[in-house]
Amino acid sequence: GEDVEQSLFLSVREGDSSVINCTYTDSSSTYLYWYKQEPGAGLQLLTYIFSNMDMKQDQRLTVLLNKKDKHLSLRIADTQTGDSAIYFCAEWNTGNQFYFGTGTSLTVIP
Amino acid sequence: DAEITQSPRHKITETGRQVTLACHQTWNHNNMFWYRQDLGHGLRLIHYSYGVHDTNKGEVSDGYSVSRSNTEDLPLTLESAASSQTSVYFCASNEGSGELFFGEGSRLTVL
């Protein structure tokens, strides 16, 4: 399968910005996604970006895509304790397959 | 509201036993997927189906099987459970490239 890499852990202080990074290898990715998993629950879609876009903003969330470097990032502004969760990036390609990263566990320190 | 449900949510079994995890979705999605989640590995695809009577192997399919006799259900069977199959299992469904909807997960412990 395709490789999608993320750092395993990130800690930030409440009110600061969080940046979660992701790298992928599949150049045919069409959509790239960010999913959030709260403890004991399944994954829920946070946001997504089409591969021909560089940036997408949705309230406190900013997604940046560098297609040349195959690098995706999720910035959460004014991080709150409720943002503590595991964040997964995922790519979808024309083979109708989703490939998920290893997940980044975000801890927000009050 | 449409949903995707998994059962059981928690299961403890012994090595060598057959185990079936159920997945039921009311989205009327054609695509259904089974993943396992392990620390350091993220989500890994076990099996998937693009429609009734269609099943395909994912990257970690050994020791698992699925069947798709209707649109709503994709049960996952562990033929002879092994300790390496202790994990959290997630079922998901979608249509095309659309959002993947996940179940709440089934935590399986094989002793």
Side-chain angles (χ1 to χ4, degrees):
Chain A
E2 305 301 335
D3 283 333
V4 183
E5 300 287 338
Q6 299 178 240
S7 303
L8 283 182
F9 303 101
L10 176 66
S11 292
V12 299
R13 293 210 172 271
E14 190 173 19
D16 288 350
S17 292
S18 308
V19 179
I20 302 171
N21 294 301
C22 172
T23 58
Y24 60 97
T25 58
D26 185 3
S27 58
S28 67
S29 297
T30 307
Y31 291 93
L32 293 127
Y33 300 82
W34 284 104
Y35 280 82
K36 178 182 181 182
Q37 183 184 31
E38 297 189 356
L43 283 69
Q44 289 191 304
L45 181 65
L46 261 186
T47 186
Y48 68 93
I49 189 167
F50 189 54
S51 59
N52 68 355
M53 297 169 64
D54 299 323
M55 185 182 86
K56 181 178 180 181
Q57 188 146 3
D58 184 1
Q59 299 182 330
R60 292 191 298 120
L61 305 178
T62 303
V63 179
L64 294 178
L65 175 61
N66 182 327
K67 200 171 178 183
K68 174 176 169 288
D69 294 339
K70 298 189 180 69
H71 183 267
L72 181 74
S73 67
L74 174 70
R75 178 177 180 269
I76 306 173
D78 186 25
T79 312
Q80 302 297 307
T81 54
D83 294 323
S84 292
I86 301 176
Y87 291 81
F88 290 90
C89 67
E91 58 164 347
W92 183 89
N93 59 31
T94 52
N96 200 20
Q97 287 289 325
F98 281 86
Y99 294 96
F100 286 85
T102 49
T104 299
S105 178
L106 174 65
T107 301
V108 182
I109 304 163
Chain B
D1 282 349
E3 59 181 1
I4 179 165
T5 55
Q6 295 182 230
S7 63
R9 294 291 313 279
H10 301 272
K11 172 84 176 173
I12 300 174
T13 191
E14 295 177 340
T15 301
R17 289 192 181 268
Q18 184 181 79
V19 175
T20 297
L21 305 179
C23 175
H24 180 82
Q25 54 100 359
T26 59
W27 294 98
N28 202 34
H29 287 156
N30 281 313
N31 304 335
M32 295 185 73
F33 306 84
W34 273 104
Y35 293 90
R36 60 178 287 175
Q37 183 180 16
D38 304 285
L39 186 63
H41 292 280
L43 289 174
R44 290 182 291 175
L45 183 63
I46 305 171
H47 281 286
Y48 58 101
S49 169
Y50 291 146
V52 176
H53 301 311
D54 176 73
T55 60
N56 306 279
K57 293 181 179 180
E59 63 177 306
V60 290
S61 62
D62 286 350
Y64 304 94
S65 63
V66 293
S67 61
R68 187 90 180 271
S69 58
N70 58 49
T71 301
E72 296 81 17
D73 299 291
L74 187 71
L76 177 72
T77 298
L78 286 67
E79 304 294 344
S80 176
S83 57
S84 60
Q85 294 176 308
T86 293
S87 186
V88 181
Y89 292 86
F90 286 98
C91 181
S93 72
N94 83 329
E95 203 61 46
S97 63
E99 178 181 353
L100 258 184
F101 291 91
F102 283 84
E104 293 290 299
S106 295
R107 183 176 293 275
L108 176 67
T109 302
V110 182
L111 301 176

